[in-house]
Amino acid sequence: MQHSRQFLKLVNEAKQRVKETNVAEVKRRMASGEKFLLVDVREDNEWAQGHVPGAVHLGRGIIERDIEIKVPETSTKVILYCGGGFRSALVADNLQKMGYTNVESMDGGWRGWVEAGLPTAKD
């Protein structure tokens, strides 16, 4: 997907403020039993086509509205992913502004997960 210049500017600014991880690291952390909430911030139709096993869905359009209900403790370890790591960086930036202190964005996102041949799920 071709992204607009201004969107990329927003993403690059957000990425300077948020912690990023990657697909291999998330898989390693899952396998080691590390406790964190994995959140898919993609659109409903993207989620329905497949997602990372164990993830919860809070789309980018509603996460800021609903996060406090789903994750009331602002120190909860949260890893966000989207299609490639751009939207999740924007969401991570916003959650940090809302007081969440342990948020990461998974660079590579869903595409990276699938390309690595890792397991997927459908509800």
Side-chain angles (χ1 to χ4, degrees):
M1 169 179 275
Q2 184 76 313
H3 296 297
S4 71
R5 187 174 54 85
Q6 290 301 324
F7 173 72
L8 291 175
K9 180 180 180 218
L10 274 177
V11 169
N12 288 330
E13 289 170 357
K15 284 185 171 216
Q16 292 175 24
R17 294 185 293 267
V18 301
K19 182 176 181 183
E20 286 191 291
T21 187
N22 59 49
V23 170
E25 182 64 14
V26 170
K27 179 60 177 159
R28 184 198 64 75
R29 290 162 71 180
M30 289 170 89
S32 75
E34 183 178 332
K35 300 291 184 219
F36 57 86
L37 182 65
L38 185 61
V39 180
D40 186 322
V41 302
R42 297 175 302 149
E43 299 294 322
D44 292 347
N45 65 321
E46 293 173 290
W47 167 265
Q49 292 174 16
H51 50 271
V52 176
V56 298
H57 183 235
L58 285 170
R60 181 161 181 252
I62 57 133
I63 192 168
E64 291 89 350
R65 182 192 73 196
D66 295 352
I67 190 70
E68 290 177 272
I69 295 163
K70 185 74 173 174
V71 187
E73 179 53 55
T74 57
S75 63
T76 300
K77 190 179 298 185
V78 177
I79 298 177
L80 307 159
Y81 76 91
C82 61
F86 290 5
R87 291 173 288 175
S88 58
L90 294 172
V91 172
D93 194 31
N94 277 341
L95 294 185
Q96 287 179 167
K97 290 174 185 173
M98 293 175 69
Y100 286 83
T101 58
N102 204 355
V103 179
E104 299 176 47
S105 172
M106 184 173 81
D107 189 45
W110 173 248
R111 279 189 303 279
W113 188 270
V114 171
E115 289 170 1
L118 297 171
T120 62
K122 280 188 181 181
D123 289 344

